[in-house]
Amino acid sequence: MNPHCHNRIIPAARRALALWLAFWVLAVLGAPSPARADSPLQLVVENQTFFYNLEHTNIDPITEGFTLTGNQTKTFFRYAIQPNVVVDVGAFFDIPFGEDDRVSSVDPIISLHWGFTEGWRFTAGTIDRNHPLHDAFFNDNLRYIEPIEQGFQIKADTRHLLQDTWLSWEERETQTQREKFSVGNYTQ
């Protein structure tokens, strides 16, 4: 082996090892993050693709089975008026698979969220439909069939309490029909 070649390889290996160690030290300890402006306005896109099968065997006289397949996209702007007051404005798109129409429904999303104390939030407008109730008490198909709820909701997620209380309008009052709404509570 040429001794001059050996003398050039060792320093190069040391530099490569030093760069590799510096990279991992920065990665582990946290490299300084680039500066960016914090904006009170955000664009939020939530998407859920689902396959929900309720085909039952030998219970057709009680209930007829069905399968739901589709895509639900919730796109909205979130604006923080204050650190504890947030407004959401956007649209919800329900796109079932296997249907003739690409978008079967579009619903508005308009919500005012107020975090009035640590772990507690009050919402008026479009509320969170994923209530933590057991399927025997609450029809969980509704998150796919009627995915948007409008009303009022108080939610808590603290060290000692999980709370979800809501009032949602199912039908608006007209001259020919009465108003219909549902009320629920979950406390743990």
Side-chain angles (χ1 to χ4, degrees), residues 3 7 11 17-18 33 47 51 60-61 71 81 98 105 114 116 126 128 131 148 154 166 185:
N7 290 340
L17 179 61
S33 60
N47 187 65
F51 180 80
D60 285 339
N71 195 50
I81 298 170
S105 69
W114 172 41
F116 55 92
T126 305
D128 182 9
H131 308 297
I148 295 292
I154 296 177
W166 70 94
N185 180 57

Side-chain angles (χ1 to χ4, degrees), residues 5-164:
C5 181
H6 179 66
N7 290 340
R8 283 182 277 175
I9 292 175
I10 291 177
R14 285 184 186 154
R15 279 193 301 270
L17 179 61
L19 285 173
W20 182 82
L21 285 173
F23 170 78
W24 284 107
V25 166
L26 283 174
V28 170
L29 297 179
S33 60
R36 64 182 176 97
D38 288 329
S39 173
L41 182 65
Q42 299 174 344
L43 173 64
V44 180
V45 178
E46 298 174 355
N47 187 65
Q48 177 183 7
T49 302
F50 61 90
F51 180 80
Y52 192 70
N53 187 9
L54 285 176
E55 296 292 336
H56 303 288
T57 307
N58 298 327
I59 61 169
D60 285 339
I62 299 169
T63 183
E64 186 176 326
F66 60 93
T67 301
L68 299 172
T69 306
N71 195 50
Q72 296 175 338
T73 302
K74 191 174 173 183
T75 304
F76 56 95
F77 287 99
R78 175 169 285 157
Y79 183 72
I81 298 170
Q82 295 180 357
N84 62 338
V85 179
V86 177
V87 174
D88 294 341
V89 176
F92 177 88
F93 301 93
D94 189 13
I95 308 165
F97 296 148
E99 300 288 329
D100 291 339
D101 299 329
R102 287 299 302 151
V103 176
S104 69
S105 69
V106 178
D107 293 310
I109 296 172
I110 302 172
S111 300
L112 174 68
H113 306 285
W114 172 41
F116 55 92
T117 189
E118 186 68 31
W120 287 81
R121 183 178 77 180
F122 171 78
T123 300
T126 305
I127 63 174
D128 182 9
R129 172 159 213 106
N130 295 320
H131 308 297
L133 295 176
H134 191 276
D135 293 348
F137 297 115
F138 193 70
N139 184 359
D140 64 332
N141 304 345
L142 292 176
R143 73 181 69 163
Y144 306 111
I145 299 170
E146 296 287 332
I148 295 292
E149 278 187 326
Q150 306 288 345
F152 300 98
Q153 184 174 40
I154 296 177
K155 292 184 86 170
D157 190 358
T158 67
R159 184 174 170 207
H160 301 291
L161 180 71
L162 182 62
Q163 174 81 38
D164 184 3

